[in-house]
Amino acid sequence: MFNRAVSRLSRKRPPSEINDGEGHPSSSHQTLKGTSKWATSLENLLEDPEGVKRFREFLKKEFSEENVLFWLACEEFKKTQGKKQMQEKAKEIYMTFLSSKASSQVNVEGQSRLSETILETPHPLMFQKLQDQIFNLMKYDSYSRFLKSDIFLNHKKSEEQEENSPEAQTAAKRASRIYNT
């Protein structure tokens, strides 16, 4: 019994795959939105376009916006179809973020760097190791500072003010009356 419970806990599943006992998404994840959801994980932040926008704004001030831009470019690269398009996109990512002459060079370990020759035979996961390094750098460095930043806190405050506005409360009361009758 204990081993089964530990096994279940050790499985890594994204929040979107967590269900209640009846196979419905867990209600704790349904109710979180905006800054509340961003604060739960970097993954949740990066799934939300507004979250990415605010995180980029923060990273720009920290002079490390290239990290999230690289991560996003790698995510798009994984969806690329066709060898020719993949070669073009791989070269663009390499020249923008990884080359010694890159305009927005990311800080990855030396031995992890790719040589230009690998760009001739691209595959969807060719940047995965580097992307993981940058993700971890953001997760354990920039993300925690972002959650304490004025950008995040001001956005959170404006969300809370919006939720507490008379218009939002009236809409909630109407919805409550509709569903409780």
Side-chain angles (χ1 to χ4, degrees):
M1 181 71 123
F2 175 75
N3 288 338
R4 221 175 7 176
V6 169
S7 172
R8 255 184 291 161
L9 288 173
S10 67
R11 282 187 238 140
K12 291 183 180 177
R13 294 183 296 172
S16 58
E17 292 180 16
I18 297 175
N19 298 314
D20 62 16
E22 296 170 13
H24 304 295
S26 170
S27 60
S28 65
H29 290 289
Q30 284 180 330
T31 58
L32 292 179
K33 60 184 178 190
T35 54
S36 298
K37 191 169 182 179
W38 305 347
T40 60
S41 71
L42 179 57
E43 292 88 342
N44 285 338
L45 172 72
L46 294 172
E47 286 174 1
D48 183 339
E50 183 66 22
V52 170
K53 179 182 169 185
R54 301 294 175 170
F55 193 47
R56 279 185 65 184
E57 188 181 333
F58 169 75
L59 291 177
K60 203 178 278 187
K61 288 183 175 187
E62 293 223 328
F63 304 101
S64 58
E65 182 187 23
E66 67 278 358
N67 292 334
V68 74
L69 293 176
F70 173 72
W71 188 88
L72 292 167
C74 290
E75 286 299 294
E76 279 303 308
F77 179 76
K78 292 174 188 175
K79 301 172 192 169
T80 305
Q81 302 291 315
K83 186 178 179 183
K84 183 103 172 113
Q85 290 91 334
M86 209 174 258
Q87 283 176 325
E88 289 170 6
K89 209 161 197 130
K91 185 171 181 150
E92 183 183 331
I93 289 171
Y94 180 82
M95 297 307 284
T96 306
F97 301 105
L98 301 171
S99 153
S100 59
K101 300 170 189 158
S103 57
S104 299
Q105 191 176 35
V106 291
N107 187 14
V108 291
E109 294 175 13
Q111 67 268 27
S112 299
R113 291 209 173 272
L114 299 175
S115 68
E116 250 181 289
T117 56
I118 196 168
L119 300 177
E120 299 303 316
T121 55
H123 57 86
L125 300 177
M126 68 186 286
F127 297 114
Q128 189 64 52
K129 186 177 179 183
L130 301 173
Q131 185 184 16
D132 290 345
Q133 275 186 33
I134 294 301
F135 179 85
N136 285 326
L137 179 67
M138 291 188 301
K139 183 176 183 174
Y140 297 110
D141 185 36
S142 310
Y143 175 65
S144 58
R145 284 196 312 278
F146 170 70
L147 295 178
K148 298 171 190 162
S149 73
D150 287 343
I151 292 171
F152 176 80
L153 296 173
N154 290 338
H155 191 71
K156 182 177 181 175
K157 189 176 182 178
S158 69
E159 275 183 354
E160 290 166 354
Q161 287 172 344
E162 223 173 84
E163 286 174 12
N164 295 329
S165 73
E167 297 86 25
Q169 290 175 359
T170 305
K173 285 178 185 177
R174 280 196 309 265
S176 175
R177 278 193 299 259
I178 293 168
Y179 290 112
N180 291 327
T181 56

